Amino acid sequence: MFSNRFTEAFGVEHPIVCGGMTAVGKAELIGAVAEAGALGFLSALTQPTPEALVKEIARCRDLTDKPFGVNLTILPTIEPVPYDEYRDAIIDSGVKVVETAGANPAQHLPAFKEAGVKVIHKAVAVRHALKAQALGVDAVSIDGFECAGHPGEDDVPGLVLIPAAARELEIPVIASGGLANGAGLVAALALGAEAINMGTRFLATTEAPVHQAVKEQIVANTERDTVVVFRKFRNSARVARNSVSEEILEISAREGTTFEDVAHLASGARGREQVLVQGNVEGGMWWAGQTQGLIHEVASCREVVGTIVNDAEQIIRERLLSQLVDR
């Protein structure tokens, strides 16, 4: 068992997080993550309205009486998103942990703090993490270059980014990107983090609400089966390597192309319907991290969390301590 500032502050058994994932962070997954003793986050904007989010929170509570949170990702959108209403839905539902991501969460922090809600902010650089700390968040999840999703434009991998953040920050650091097993948990703790955040590993679980073909593709893929798209547009994103993401790269490399030239391929609606729902892994762009190379089976959330914690304990006791000698 591991106990530190993170487990104590957020009331969970294990220092493991399932961050918010669009179209995936639903009650059946997050309830199972909570029951396994980790901290999971429903994805607020996966729900079409704040009212629907309230129902999803209630549905998750039907599955677990353990702590879970809600992710609120704040991004520029064509159609205005009622972020204030989603925030109020979270507060009114009695949720006590929120994960913010995307834009600066400053305008929402006073309401969360007044309601006694702890806030974890996702960042991709130490300077962003320091800004979040200054705003008053309770912890920072720092994303290394290996992660699925948007790793920023600095290209700093976790082996450097995690200790750099831990050295500068006073609040708990959650390591994200490149983590999927017990060795990763040990490494993250050694680097100064107090928890690990996993997305791709939890995507390949029995409870994840995606097609079985997607889970099996993650297991079949290696660490080389991702690509970074949208770099030309200063919006780098790590996604699974397939014919669609390869085409996005090819079009983007042409002289004078803009995001509009790849928008039809990058459509989130297309990826969700074709890939996550129908199981056509070549049908759209979908998110996956380099940890695909570390995932060798589809398992339940309880099995995933239990194996990671047990392996981490064994690595420390049997592999690392045995190498210490008195001089």
Side-chain angles (χ1 to χ4, degrees), residues 27-282:
E28 53 265 46
L29 174 61
I30 303 310
V33 169
E35 283 294 293
L39 180 62
F41 288 90
L42 297 172
S43 168
L45 301 189
T46 292
Q47 302 305 318
T49 64
E51 293 77 17
L53 175 60
V54 170
K55 293 179 180 178
E56 191 69 4
I57 292 170
R59 193 163 76 92
C60 197
R61 285 210 175 101
D62 287 339
L63 299 173
T64 184
D65 59 1
K66 295 183 178 181
F68 66 88
V70 176
N71 167 282
L72 185 64
T73 298
I74 308 161
L75 293 172
T77 56
I78 296 174
E79 295 293 330
V81 174
Y83 289 112
D84 291 358
E85 294 178 28
Y86 277 101
R87 179 198 66 212
D88 292 344
I90 293 168
I91 293 171
D92 293 344
S93 295
V95 172
K96 291 304 179 183
V97 187
V98 164
E99 177 188 62
T100 57
N104 189 319
Q107 71 181 84
H108 302 289
L109 291 181
F112 283 138
K113 289 299 180 181
E114 185 178 350
V117 177
K118 289 186 169 65
V119 177
I120 299 171
H121 186 66
K122 296 191 73 174
V124 296
V126 175
R127 62 188 183 278
H128 300 156
L130 286 169
K131 176 64 174 179
Q133 177 178 262
L135 290 172
V137 304
D138 299 279
V140 167
S141 181
I142 195 88
D143 282 357
F145 187 55
E146 309 93 332
C147 73
H150 296 282
E153 309 301 323
D154 293 343
D155 298 358
V156 181
L159 199 58
V160 173
L161 187 60
I162 297 164
R167 183 176 186 271
E168 296 290 332
L169 293 164
E170 298 177 359
I171 57 178
V173 172
I174 301 164
S176 182
L179 299 158
N181 56 25
L185 174 56
V186 173
L189 295 175
L191 292 171
E194 297 188 48
I196 60 171
N197 175 45
M198 305 187 301
T200 306
R201 173 64 271 199
F202 279 119
L203 190 59
T205 57
T206 53
E207 296 94 345
V210 302
H211 198 283
Q212 182 68 17
V214 176
K215 304 174 188 184
E216 293 173 358
Q217 189 64 51
I218 290 172
V219 172
N221 281 350
T222 73
E223 66 277 7
R224 298 179 65 248
D225 290 312
T226 71
V227 296
V228 177
V229 296
F230 310 151
R231 168 136 295 186
K232 180 177 183 177
F233 316 120
R234 300 290 296 173
N235 189 30
S236 296
R238 186 177 298 282
V239 300
R241 183 188 297 274
N242 65 4
S243 56
V244 173
S245 58
E246 293 278 14
E247 187 176 355
I248 290 173
L249 287 178
E250 190 275 324
I251 293 173
S252 300
R254 298 175 193 168
E255 187 73 25
T257 51
T258 68
F259 181 76
E260 292 304 313
D261 296 304
V262 299
H264 64 293
L265 297 169
S267 165
R270 171 179 174 172
R272 288 189 291 274
E273 179 59 30
Q274 290 289 316
V275 182
L276 301 186
V277 175
Q278 296 185 23
N280 176 12
V281 295
E282 296 292 329

